[in-house]
Amino acid sequence: DGRVTTIIPKKSACYRCVFKAPPPPGLVASCQEAGVIGVLAGIIGTIQATEALKLILGVGRPLTDRLLDFDARKTQFREIKVRRNPNCALCGEHPTITELFDDGDPYAEGGATMSKMKALVCRECGKEYPTKAIHVCEMCFGPLEVKYNYDEIKKTISRKKIEAGPHSMWRYLDLLPVEGTNFVGPHAGFTPLVRAKNLGAYLGLDELYIKNDTVNHPTLSFKDRVVAVALTRARELGFETVACASTGNLANSVSAHAASANLHCYVFIPGDLEAAKVLGNLIYRPHVVEIEGNYDDVNRLCSEIAGEHGWAFVNINIRPYYAEGSKTLAFETVEQLGWRTPDQVVIPMASGSLLTKIWKGLHEMKALGLIDDVRTKINGAQAEGCSPISTAFKAGRDFFKPVK
């Protein structure tokens, strides 16, 4: 028995009439005082119908044992997990919102568990946004990233729980920006940490390890990590079409994951991309669109398309969730080293996102008590032929000049 309700204390309808055991009259405004808004009633009916279809068709994640909470002042939805009350004679194995209110504040400890994602937050100005398909701050145009409810996560996460998890990156589910367990790409991650004895001896290092992401599933690329998270979250947000701008590996991964999840897929590539790279994603039968121009031109066009169509672009409007998948490299490395952080790590720079997320992942583990300290020095590497970040760093600049 699922029931969705919206209440603004002292301002909106309490829907007291829907409860078997109504709250006291003085607690919130009555229906007569505040009125029942027809639009809200229509939304509730639509949600109920959608949940029924999910159960009948077996598609999507139903709101079983969850309360869908809507903050009308912030126009933000969130889900609250409902804990059963074993002493309740009414609900038995199927708790309802009525019993939740009988226990007091549904947000209080023991009544319900808040979502592990608090918001999307701008890395520049700190402005917060709902956890939807947005990636840039409307105030300062800074990038957005996921802000977690670490106090809530800390109650359940542990080394033992992680070690008992699946042999994939989803063993770190508590620290990834998805709400359910219906994963796209369930086998991605947890790749070998290989001790490179010969290379270490050549470089004069006693312990040198290489994270071998060339055996990632399904497309043998690091991109399988971030795409698995992005498409899982995109499906949770209701998207049926996914897309990306790419020059190779990302297109392959998005196409493969979309095919396995029965999602429509569009891949936008530069028109002069090598045929072998195009073939890699054509195997999965996406819609491949060649654009006259370089990758920057393709990316700009995709930004416009993402704003006009209801599509989830993994490296544009879904990017805050996509980027979080990179943290799993840090989580796995620490666990595979016996819950120790490495002294040094060398990370390919690319756009810089991977470096920042590995740093974030290490410090999340410390904040949650999974490791004692972080003494790791982070090193970024770029190829000499295209090294704008390295060049700017050596010159002491806080901006870089793009290389085409």
Side-chain angles (χ1 to χ4, degrees):
D1 178 15
R3 187 178 293 139
V4 180
T5 187
T6 303
I7 297 174
I8 304 177
K10 305 296 183 182
K11 292 186 178 179
S12 66
C14 68
Y15 299 98
R16 184 182 295 113
C17 53
V18 304
F19 293 112
K20 296 177 183 176
L27 185 63
V28 291
S30 68
C31 296
Q32 184 177 4
E33 294 168 344
V36 177
I37 303 173
V39 174
L40 285 179
I43 293 173
I44 292 169
T46 301
I47 294 173
Q48 289 173 331
T50 302
E51 292 304 306
L53 287 172
K54 286 180 183 178
L55 290 171
I56 293 170
L57 300 175
V59 176
R61 181 173 59 89
L63 289 168
T64 306
D65 291 350
R66 288 176 171 84
L67 169 67
L68 182 63
D69 175 75
F70 176 63
D71 188 327
R73 288 163 290 189
K74 295 181 180 178
T75 62
Q76 181 175 350
F77 281 97
R78 64 175 174 174
E79 287 182 24
I80 303 173
K81 295 180 182 178
V82 182
R83 291 178 182 163
R84 293 187 177 95
N85 179 0
N87 300 317
C88 180
L90 290 176
C91 63
E93 296 182 355
H94 302 285
T96 67
I97 297 175
T98 304
E99 284 71 52
L100 193 63
F101 272 90
D102 289 344
D103 249 351
D105 184 356
Y107 301 101
E109 185 176 356
T113 303
M114 293 176 62
S115 171
K116 62 184 171 184
M117 288 187 286
K118 281 187 173 181
L120 297 180
V121 60
C122 176
R123 295 185 60 184
E124 297 294 330
C125 71
K127 181 176 173 59
E128 295 187 1
Y129 295 86
T131 51
K132 297 179 181 179
I134 48 179
H135 69 293
V136 66
C137 178
E138 63 183 20
M139 300 295 292
C140 69
F141 302 106
L144 303 184
E145 70 173 0
V146 179
K147 180 179 180 180
Y148 293 91
N149 187 349
Y150 292 116
D151 290 338
E152 198 66 31
I153 294 172
K154 197 170 185 177
K155 295 177 183 178
T156 58
I157 198 169
S158 67
R159 291 183 182 182
K160 184 177 181 180
K161 179 183 177 182
I162 291 171
E163 290 167 350
H167 199 74
S168 71
M169 69 176 197
W170 295 108
R171 65 204 283 124
Y172 311 104
L173 173 62
D174 289 336
L175 291 168
L176 293 174
V178 299
E179 294 289 1
T181 56
N182 185 17
F183 309 130
V184 177
H187 306 295
F190 212 66
T191 54
L193 185 66
V194 181
R195 186 169 182 180
K197 294 182 179 179
N198 294 340
L199 180 59
Y202 177 79
L203 296 174
L205 299 172
D206 292 332
E207 290 189 67
L208 176 65
Y209 296 86
I210 295 175
K211 196 75 166 84
N212 183 15
D213 254 23
T214 63
V215 294
N216 242 321
H217 186 276
T219 65
L220 311 180
S221 163
F222 155 77
K223 296 295 186 182
D224 289 331
R225 296 177 181 272
V226 289
V227 170
V229 174
L231 264 62
T232 299
R233 183 58 181 158
R235 191 163 64 178
E236 288 181 347
L237 292 172
F239 288 98
E240 297 179 351
T241 300
V242 296
C244 71
S246 176
T247 58
N249 287 341
L250 180 59
N252 294 348
S253 188
V254 171
S255 300
H257 283 88
S260 70
N262 288 319
L263 295 169
H264 302 294
C265 180
Y266 285 80
V267 169
F268 295 82
I269 60 174
D272 60 353
L273 194 63
E274 302 94 310
K277 290 185 176 180
V278 180
L279 180 62
N281 61 75
L282 285 175
I283 294 171
Y284 304 102
R285 302 187 69 180
H287 300 278
V288 179
V289 182
E290 291 187 349
I291 306 299
E292 185 176 343
N294 58 29
Y295 176 75
D296 290 337
D297 298 321
V298 176
N299 208 44
R300 278 192 290 270
L301 176 62
C302 288
S303 296
E304 295 179 16
I305 295 173
E308 293 183 9
H309 297 271
W311 297 356
F313 276 82
V314 298
N315 51 349
I316 301 177
N317 56 347
I318 302 295
R319 188 172 185 85
Y321 312 104
Y322 163 91
E324 291 289 294
S326 300
K327 298 187 306 184
T328 57
L329 276 171
F331 301 153
E332 291 175 20
T333 299
V334 168
E335 184 181 354
Q336 290 167 328
L337 288 174
W339 297 100
R340 296 180 298 125
T341 56
D343 297 326
Q344 307 259 353
V345 295
V346 180
I347 303 166
M349 288 300 297
S351 66
S353 176
L354 177 58
L355 184 148
T356 63
K357 294 305 178 185
I358 287 179
W359 179 254
K360 179 181 180 180
L362 292 174
H363 284 269
E364 281 182 336
M365 297 185 88
K366 178 179 181 295
L368 294 168
L370 297 173
I371 55 177
D372 295 329
D373 201 3
V374 179
R375 300 180 180 179
T376 305
K377 183 176 181 180
I378 305 290
N379 303 275
Q382 284 193 300
E384 283 189 359
C386 183
S387 55
I389 301 176
S390 175
T391 301
F393 183 81
K394 291 175 181 177
R397 301 196 306 263
D398 60 358
F399 63 93
F400 61 89
K401 184 177 180 180
V403 176
K404 294 187 178 182

